[in-house]
Each structure stands twice: as structure tokens, then as C-alpha cells.
Amino acid sequence: LKAQDASLGLAGLSLPPELGPQIMGDSEYSFSLTTFSPSGKLVQIEYALNAVAQGRPALGIKAKNGVVLATEKKIPSPLVDETTLTKVENLSENIGVVYAGMVPDYRVLLRRGRKMAQQYYTYYRELIPVSQLVREEAAIMQEFTQSGGVRPFGISLMIAGYDDSGPQLFQVDPSGSYFGWKASAIGKNHVNAKSFLEKRYNEDIELEDAIHTAILTLKEGFEGAITAENIEIGIVGEDRKFRTLTPSQVQDYLGEVE
């Protein structure tokens, strides 16, 4: 009976005896950010990733002549002024970002990223390289996993840009880890979105085709009708100018994929 009792998990689920203490141990550390659990996890970071997974879907696709970011943008109430809600933003002239997760956390990283990009330009009189700005943003997020009295950022970022190294796409997660991607997705249904992108992506894709693929990927898990008002798209091309498409431009692309 004692062995059987030891095999019960937190919710009364039957578990192997050796896993019972481990899971109990993890739960005891779930409120501490800076302390590892016995299984080697920082559980609060996993909770932060859960917050990201509940956010509105967002994705990025790197083409051979540019990068596209796209996201679902649903207004929580018809009384909200939709012009005040933007998910795709500029970090600098040649770099843009989109997020999935908590909006207030996004504003903090957006402000800090813009400040770092401007400081670089003031000092060197040239635009900050994409990888350097990504590294700086990731360093901020990592710092919030190793400091007392704070919590991890509840967002993941997709950062797109164009510099001397060509088009680039990066994903930054709450732990501070970041990777370069050819195409990726974050937020709700990100696993299905990545699977869809894996089937559609090819190395020679052009920016225009990447925009179509981004729209089709969003449509895969979209609840309700997709319109120019409830999605947002940003692009950067060989002109190295990141810009957000207007609703009329988005509508034209929607017409092309239907």
C-alpha cells in the first residue's frame, strides 16, 4: 500500500514510484524563479511559455529577398478603437518585430529595443545589425530569469530584418534563448502552424510568395472569417525598410490567395 501511495501524483494520477517524489519536488519549486527544481527545471519559465502558447498566433517567413511577419489581431470588443492596437512594430528602420503573449511585457522590450537601436545609430551613424539587436533583447529576457523579485517575460518575439548579411529572421523566447529561422510560428496552434510551414517552405521562395504562405498559414487555425482588419502583416525587402502593410494592401493579398 505504501508503494502504491507513493506512486500517486498531485492529481491522483498513477505514476511510477520513482517519478512521484520528482513531481512533488518540482511543484515545491514552482513559485521560485531563481531556484532549480530537483529535475533541473526553472518551472516559472515553463509557465511563461504557457502564457506565450495562449497568445494570438504570429509567424515569420524568410524569403531570399526579404522577410515577412504576420499575426492574428482580433479586437476584444467592438467598442475598442482598432487603430490603437498594433502587434507588428518597427524596432529600427530595417528591423521589425511581432509577439505572442502579454502585451505590457511587449511594450517594455519594444521600448528598450528601440533605445538600443538609436544608441547604436547615434554612436556609429549606421543601422544596428539584426543579430546584435536580437542578442541585446535576448540578454534582457535572460536577466529576468536570474534576478530576485522579478518574473520572466510572458512573451516570445519574432524579429525580422535586412542588413549586410541579407534577410534574417529570429525567434526569442522567455528564457532568453534565440535562434535564426527560415520560418517559424509562435502563440496559439504554433505546432500546427510550424507543420504547415514545413510543408510549404522552400529555399527559393520570393517575398510575394512568402506573404501568400503567411496568410494561408494563419487561415489554417483561424477562428471565423479572415479579413484585412483582423490580421496584420509587416515586410522588409532589399530596400531595407521595414513597414506594416495597410488594410487595403492586406485585402489585395487576401484576394490573391482565395
Side-chain angles (χ1 to χ4, degrees):
L1 288 174
K2 288 184 179 179
Q4 186 176 2
D5 290 341
S7 68
L8 294 177
L10 296 176
L13 298 175
S14 180
L15 297 167
E18 65 274 12
L19 289 184
Q22 177 177 316
I23 293 177
M24 288 293 287
D26 282 0
S27 69
E28 292 171 5
Y29 290 83
S30 64
F31 292 102
S32 174
L33 169 61
T34 57
T35 307
F36 283 97
S37 70
S39 62
K41 297 177 181 177
L42 292 173
V43 187
Q44 283 295 315
I45 293 178
E46 294 188 0
Y47 293 165
L49 287 169
N50 290 341
V52 173
Q54 293 173 16
R56 297 291 185 188
L59 61 97
I61 302 173
K62 182 174 75 172
K64 67 179 185 179
N65 60 335
V67 189
V68 57
L69 298 177
T71 182
E72 180 181 316
K73 187 186 77 170
K74 287 191 176 178
I75 309 301
S77 166
L79 299 178
V80 173
D81 181 2
E82 67 274 3
T83 61
T84 63
L85 293 177
T86 54
K87 290 191 64 179
V88 179
E89 297 273 6
N90 279 74
L91 282 171
S92 66
E93 183 179 326
N94 64 320
I95 303 173
V97 61
V98 69
Y99 74 95
M102 300 177 65
V103 182
D105 290 11
Y106 176 57
R107 290 201 302 266
V108 172
L109 289 171
L110 185 64
R111 184 176 67 250
R112 293 199 182 188
R114 285 173 170 172
K115 184 176 181 180
M116 287 182 287
Q118 190 58 45
Q119 286 175 336
Y120 186 95
Y121 181 80
T122 302
Y123 193 84
Y124 295 105
R125 287 297 165 186
E126 62 182 33
L127 296 173
I128 187 170
V130 181
S131 60
Q132 183 167 338
L133 186 54
V134 169
R135 187 168 63 248
E136 296 291 344
E137 291 277 36
I140 295 170
M141 296 174 81
Q142 191 279 332
E143 184 182 337
F144 275 69
T145 69
Q146 208 172 6
S147 305
V150 299
R151 63 162 176 80
F153 285 92
I155 59 168
S156 285
L157 302 176
M158 298 288 296
I159 299 176
Y162 205 118
D163 57 20
D164 291 342
S165 299
Q168 296 181 66
L169 174 68
F170 289 90
Q171 178 179 326
V172 190
D173 289 325
S175 63
S177 62
Y178 66 93
F179 300 96
W181 290 81
K182 298 174 182 176
S184 185
I186 52 178
K188 206 170 186 179
N189 296 323
H190 67 280
V191 175
N192 293 335
K194 282 185 177 180
S195 297
F196 185 84
L197 288 169
E198 286 174 3
K199 296 173 185 175
R200 306 274 307 197
Y201 184 82
N202 67 77
E203 298 282 350
D204 297 322
I205 191 170
E206 297 279 349
L207 184 57
E208 290 290 306
D209 294 330
I211 296 172
H212 296 151
T213 302
I215 293 173
L216 290 171
T217 307
L218 286 178
K219 286 182 74 174
E220 278 292 296
F222 206 85
E223 298 175 2
I226 188 170
T227 68
E229 283 70 40
N230 56 24
I231 65 170
E232 203 169 347
I233 298 174
I235 60 171
V236 60
E238 293 173 328
D239 60 354
R240 304 191 184 188
K241 307 276 188 187
F242 186 89
R243 59 190 175 90
T244 303
L245 299 183
T246 64
S248 61
Q249 289 173 320
V250 173
Q251 188 58 54
D252 290 340
Y253 283 111
L254 284 172
E256 292 173 7
V257 299
E258 290 177 353

